[in-house]
Amino acid sequence: MQKLHSYISFFDSGQGGLTLWEDVIERFPRLSSIYLGDTARCPYGNRSAEIIVRYSQEAASFLMNFNTKILVIACGTASSVASKALSEQLDIPVIDIVNDFSKYVKNYIKNSSEPTSIAILGTQFTVKSQSLFHLLRDSHFQDIWQKDCPLFVPLVEEGLTQGEIPEKICELYLSQIPKNIEYILLACTHYPRLLNTIATTLNKLLKRPVFHQGTEKKVLLSNENSSSKKPLIILDPRPCIISRIKKILQNQNYESAFPTHKIYCTDSIIDFKNVAQKFTKRKFQHLEKIDLLEKLINKTAY
Ligand code: DGL
């Protein structure tokens, strides 16, 4: 009998969580994965808590129809409000990008001798819910500036991440950023797709070198307009999610000799593929459009 695959499963409202998915499967090449992008109901970020929790529960129920062993809420918005409910309902590890990110940020910054100023960029819901803000608020952070950037998600879903339009939108959102900011936190998984545009805009506005701390070393992204040496560092949750998964895998073997990767979306497959493949190095083995509610009602077997 064929051994059932064990899956690490991800969900997001759309393409954004693929930034996380891709890093995870690169890092753990023997894991099988499922990714659900709920494109028919994207964006989540301007909806109410009640609706976001319901959408998240539906996404998780779909993913639990597979042999899911680890669930990653690859969405800052859903992480902000649905993580507790999903962790209580499911008897597998549920990883969200808000709790682990806050610990990682605190740890990353703890060596700085001076109180630190940080900026949080997220969806309307993430900012309004103050989810990350509450976890980060402590004496070491002098100032926390938060900004919701609702147009970033549709830009990414359209594949429009460079050029005049995203640059103007970035300028609009970041024009009020305090001059003393040292760290910029990307609290939405769509935003890393706009990393270069965000970095160029920050460099223009603050005239400081802008770095990104990825899973390995820190990379200089923009320095052209700098008149000061004081760096600005962009952080996103990918490194901490990788370490969390690594810890879980120390005690569990979910590896497969022939890992499979299945991607599901809830709206047009062509649109999803065109945009996702523009950003993702990996070719999709299996991409399917599903009717999420129909799958849940009929509990379709896989
Ligand atoms: N990628 C998402 C997040 O991290 C979803 C954004 C949205 O759908 O508004 O918040």
Side-chain angles (χ1 to χ4, degrees):
M1 204 173 75
Q2 201 196 354
K3 192 175 163 277
L4 198 62
H5 279 284
S6 295
Y7 291 100
I8 175 162
S9 298
F10 301 75
F11 77 88
D12 180 38
S13 62
Q15 314 266 347
L18 288 172
T19 52
L20 197 55
W21 170 81
E22 190 168 29
D23 267 19
V24 170
I25 58 171
E26 289 277 311
R27 193 52 72 101
F28 306 101
R30 292 289 176 119
L31 285 186
S32 290
S33 72
I34 316 268
Y35 181 91
L36 171 65
D38 191 7
T39 40
R41 305 191 290 194
C42 183
Y44 283 5
N46 52 8
R47 299 183 192 273
S48 65
E50 195 191 340
I51 292 290
I52 300 165
V53 172
R54 203 185 82 208
Y55 287 179
S56 303
Q57 284 170 327
E58 288 168 0
S61 303
F62 169 73
L63 295 169
M64 292 309 288
N65 285 334
F66 300 84
N67 190 26
T68 291
K69 297 294 190 189
I70 303 172
L71 178 70
V72 181
I73 309 178
C75 171
T77 309
S79 297
S80 295
V81 67
S83 178
K84 191 161 175 278
L86 293 183
S87 306
E88 282 167 7
Q89 278 157 18
L90 306 174
D91 56 2
I92 56 165
V94 175
I95 304 178
D96 73 70
I97 69 154
V98 166
N99 282 292
D100 283 278
F101 193 28
S102 71
K103 288 182 203 142
Y104 164 75
V105 171
K106 284 185 183 180
N107 197 41
Y108 193 89
I109 295 175
K110 80 169 186 271
N111 296 329
S112 120
S113 50
E114 316 243 315
T116 313
S117 297
I118 58 178
I120 299 173
L121 308 185
T123 63
Q124 281 168 336
F125 187 87
T126 302
V127 167
K128 208 169 53 189
S129 70
Q130 312 247 49
S131 55
L132 200 50
F133 176 87
H134 284 306
L135 292 166
L136 286 172
R137 204 174 32 176
D138 84 20
S139 54
H140 205 68
F141 299 107
Q142 191 183 40
D143 291 310
I144 303 181
W145 183 78
Q146 298 199 85
K147 182 70 192 155
D148 55 323
C149 311
L151 291 172
F152 281 2
V153 171
L155 283 177
V156 171
E157 291 295 322
E158 282 297 316
L160 193 62
T161 56
Q162 274 173 327
E164 206 183 329
I165 297 169
E167 276 166 24
K168 285 270 172 281
I169 294 173
C170 259
E171 270 172 40
L172 174 79
Y173 289 144
L174 299 175
S175 60
Q176 301 302 316
I177 192 165
K179 297 270 173 280
N180 62 342
I181 289 292
E182 289 157 87
Y183 297 93
I184 311 281
L185 315 190
L186 303 185
C188 169
T189 50
H190 278 73
Y191 298 2
R193 298 272 190 245
L194 287 156
L195 191 59
N196 288 322
T197 305
I198 295 173
T200 316
T201 308
L202 288 168
N203 175 248
K204 248 195 233 161
L205 292 169
L206 301 178
K207 311 258 179 283
R208 287 160 52 197
V210 182
F211 291 84
H212 172 239
Q213 177 65 63
T215 23
E216 277 155 25
K217 54 182 186 343
K218 210 160 57 193
V219 177
L220 176 64
L221 294 181
S222 186
N223 199 17
E224 220 181 298
N225 302 292
S226 305
S227 55
S228 146
K229 286 208 161 96
K230 199 171 182 264
L232 234 151
I233 301 172
I234 302 179
L235 302 173
D236 72 73
R238 286 174 290 179
C240 62
I241 301 305
I242 303 255
S243 357
R244 178 80 193 281
I245 295 169
K246 207 162 156 189
K247 269 193 208 128
I248 295 173
L249 295 178
Q250 274 166 5
N251 305 315
Q252 301 292 347
N253 181 9
Y254 297 139
E255 296 192 340
S256 155
F258 304 101
T260 66
H261 303 288
K262 298 179 183 177
I263 311 277
Y264 295 90
C265 58
T266 54
D267 203 346
S268 161
I269 212 167
I270 311 257
D271 292 348
F272 188 89
K273 194 172 177 180
N274 284 346
V275 177
Q277 290 284 223
K278 188 167 148 188
F279 297 119
T280 314
K281 285 186 258 115
R282 188 173 281 267
K283 287 271 158 278
F284 297 150
Q285 290 171 345
H286 175 117
L287 173 60
E288 188 182 332
K289 179 189 169 198
I290 49 149
D291 180 333
L292 194 51
L293 295 185
E294 188 267 327
K295 291 276 182 206
L296 295 176
I297 292 162
N298 297 325
K299 289 246 174 263
T300 316
Y302 294 89

